[in-house]
Amino acid sequence: MKYDFTTVHKRFHTGSGKWNTLEKFGVKESEDIIPFSVADMEFVTAPEIVEAIKHELDTSIMGYANPTDGYLESVCEWFKSRHNWEPKPEWMLSTQGVVNAFFEAVRVFTEKGDGIIITTPVYHPMYMAATNNGRKLIDCPMTHEGAHYGIDFEALEQAASDPQAKMLLLCSPHNPCGRVWTREELERIAYVCLKHNVLVVSDEIHCDLLMPGHTHTVFASLGEEVAQNCLVLTAPSKTFNIAGLQTSTAFIPNQKLREKYFAALKLLNPNPKCNILGYCAAEAAYRNCAGWLDECLKVIDANRKTVVEFMAREFPQVKVTELEGTYLLWMDLNAFGLDYREIERINREEARLFFDEGYVFGEKGKGFERWNLACPTRYIREALERFRGAYSRYVK
Ligand SMILES: Cc1ncc(COP(=O)(O)O)c(C=O)c1O
């Protein structure tokens, strides 16, 4: 490997949201464990990004920033080369985080009482985007057979035909279920939404994190009619582990929707601020870090394989969902016959494992764990040993 995927910088007392969980549960540095929860990586930043930021600091002034032409161009080129989709720079609006962007989309394109469809279990802020904004949450549970999730198209048709339904918040690839939706699945989703006049907000923040054999289809690439009925939200933050720089993009090919969104954002915040280092890091990442990402994906895939093989051998009753995309492995521990709160307790107190517990992602996530695989493999091996030690006391 050309890049370093073995060094870990312990982030105790650094304000890291992820590492705060460890602090909360009294983990000491001497325990040499890491959290497997929040979706950021335990890999050191790609040197090309660090160099670009250092150069920016040496040569620039940290004044108010607008997206640079270089940044806009680099995003478009990335989507062309990596996802075979050619967006236009004028479709892009800078946003400060994807969650921010879909919360705003809910406020701008729907009214109080309107229905927002989500396919559950799903990334929890998607529930909040509806409920915190006084919208009706329209739950469209996914099909779940064995370890495979899918869209329940009958349920989607029913949800979209609710006269209150105005928006689908789509998670593509899907967190936490690890699905990379196929073109055919996306076309069916698009068809249902067009038929019922439901706007699609496609959160594609995980679009670059693909396991071998899987291809991401950008929702807006499905044809002109579909492109005119969607917002595509994305960011380099998961791909290159720069979430702290809050630099993300909304692609809105439909001019009227774009102008409406932009005007509404201006109204809420007449002087939006952008992160000058975020643009610089994002441009460096998109232009120079494809090689880093390819190696990173190999490490994630190796970690996936390590966990899958371990569970199949040691705890075959654990259903590990096939990971197609993201670095978040979703597994069902319900066959242990333990209450989900007890599972959480065993993880934290006995195994010293800190996952995102499945119930966070909705009712159907109870007894599941979401395991963040973006870390050096030795930590995965060590965690599996602790998993075995703790659960072999409870499970035959
Ligand atoms: C599906 C999805 N959307 C959005 C986010 C967060 O995006 P941001 O940090 O840009 O708000 C995450 C983070 O885990 C995510 O999984």
Side-chain angles (χ1 to χ4, degrees):
M1 291 247 171
K2 176 174 163 201
Y3 295 100
D4 178 2
F5 293 99
T6 54
T7 304
V8 161
H9 290 293
K10 301 263 170 87
R11 287 185 275 160
F12 288 105
H13 317 300
T14 62
S16 153
K18 187 178 180 186
W19 283 71
N20 278 349
T21 339
L22 293 191
E23 291 175 27
K24 192 169 125 204
F25 289 98
V27 173
K28 302 272 177 311
E29 287 207 55
S30 55
E31 286 185 70
D32 195 26
I33 61 179
I34 62 168
F36 299 108
S37 52
V38 175
D40 66 31
M41 301 182 182
E42 298 305 329
F43 297 131
V44 291
T45 313
E48 291 83 354
I49 297 177
V50 175
E51 281 311 312
I53 292 176
K54 281 186 182 163
H55 179 76
E56 184 77 11
L57 290 173
D58 284 343
T59 57
S60 186
I61 285 177
M62 300 299 114
Y64 291 117
N66 289 318
T68 57
D69 289 345
Y71 161 77
L72 295 172
E73 219 180 78
S74 71
V75 179
C76 293
E77 278 167 14
W78 179 263
F79 274 85
K80 185 174 172 201
S81 65
R82 210 80 191 179
H83 300 296
N84 194 26
W85 179 58
E86 288 188 53
K88 298 206 168 78
E90 59 265 29
W91 297 348
M92 290 171 64
L93 294 180
S94 263
T95 58
Q96 286 130 356
V98 167
V99 171
N100 224 351
F102 66 65
F103 262 66
E104 297 298 2
V106 166
R107 290 190 202 120
V108 173
F109 297 114
T110 69
E111 308 281 335
K112 284 212 185 308
D114 283 348
I116 311 290
I117 306 170
I118 54 172
T119 59
T120 61
V122 75
Y123 179 55
H124 46 289
M126 291 194 170
Y127 294 84
M128 288 144 63
T131 55
N132 290 11
N133 287 312
R135 273 53 170 178
K136 182 171 104 169
L137 182 81
I138 306 183
D139 188 1
C140 182
M142 289 191 287
T143 58
H144 183 206
E145 279 157 36
H148 186 83
Y149 284 85
I151 298 291
D152 182 337
F153 283 100
E154 251 175 59
L156 182 63
E157 176 73 40
Q158 203 182 341
S161 60
D162 178 334
Q164 283 174 292
K166 292 289 178 305
M167 181 180 282
L168 166 68
L169 271 184
L170 181 66
C171 196
S172 174
H174 193 278
N175 170 13
C177 301
R179 279 298 317 278
V180 174
W181 306 116
T182 62
R183 172 171 278 273
E184 291 69 32
E185 286 171 309
L186 292 169
E187 279 172 349
R188 285 183 76 181
I189 293 170
Y191 172 77
V192 173
C193 290
L194 280 170
K195 180 170 144 198
H196 295 287
N197 211 11
V198 167
L199 179 66
V200 178
V201 175
S202 186
D203 174 344
E204 304 189 12
I205 197 168
H206 294 280
C207 67
D208 302 312
L209 297 156
L210 303 170
M211 292 296 103
H214 295 280
T215 308
H216 176 74
T217 304
V218 177
F219 198 80
S221 74
L222 294 173
E224 187 51 24
E225 209 185 353
V226 179
Q228 293 299 313
N229 188 46
C230 74
L231 282 71
V232 172
L233 309 179
T234 188
S237 51
K238 300 286 161 206
T239 312
F240 300 106
N241 207 32
I242 51 174
L245 291 171
Q246 291 171 315
T247 301
S248 52
T249 295
F251 293 107
I252 314 181
N254 180 318
Q255 190 182 347
K256 280 207 181 107
L257 294 182
R258 192 167 64 239
E259 284 172 1
K260 185 169 178 186
Y261 191 63
F262 190 60
L265 295 190
K266 273 271 192 206
L267 210 61
L268 287 167
N269 180 1
N271 189 9
K273 312 286 188 300
C274 300
N275 185 326
I276 196 168
L277 294 180
Y279 290 130
C280 154
E283 183 177 347
Y286 282 137
R287 286 202 195 286
N288 305 322
C289 293
W292 181 91
L293 176 61
D294 291 339
E295 286 194 1
C296 179
L297 290 172
K298 285 198 178 121
V299 178
I300 292 164
D301 190 38
N303 289 349
R304 176 200 62 77
K305 202 158 165 257
T306 303
V307 177
V308 168
E309 286 174 1
F310 172 92
M311 290 299 173
R313 194 175 60 242
E314 306 287 334
F315 295 99
Q317 64 274 60
V318 171
K319 280 193 224 145
V320 183
T321 305
E322 193 192 334
L323 189 72
E324 299 178 348
T326 82
Y327 48 73
L328 307 163
L329 191 60
W330 182 239
M331 59 183 76
D332 181 358
L333 268 50
N334 281 299
F336 284 170
L338 299 163
D339 181 72
Y340 72 100
R341 292 279 180 197
E342 178 63 354
I343 290 177
E344 180 175 31
R345 187 199 65 74
I346 295 170
N347 287 341
R348 291 183 179 173
E349 292 179 15
E350 299 190 30
R352 303 301 265 163
L353 288 169
F354 300 89
F355 302 121
D356 267 352
E357 297 291 325
Y359 63 81
V360 168
F361 303 92
E363 191 62 23
K364 291 208 168 52
K366 282 182 175 170
F368 285 69
E369 303 299 340
R370 194 193 72 171
W371 190 327
N372 182 336
L373 299 175
C375 65
T377 304
R378 70 178 187 281
Y379 284 97
I380 298 280
R381 293 218 179 90
E382 162 64 24
L384 289 170
E385 285 312 313
R386 282 186 275 118
F387 186 96
R388 186 203 333 254
Y391 282 101
S392 53
R393 288 182 220 126
Y394 295 90
V395 180
K396 285 272 168 292

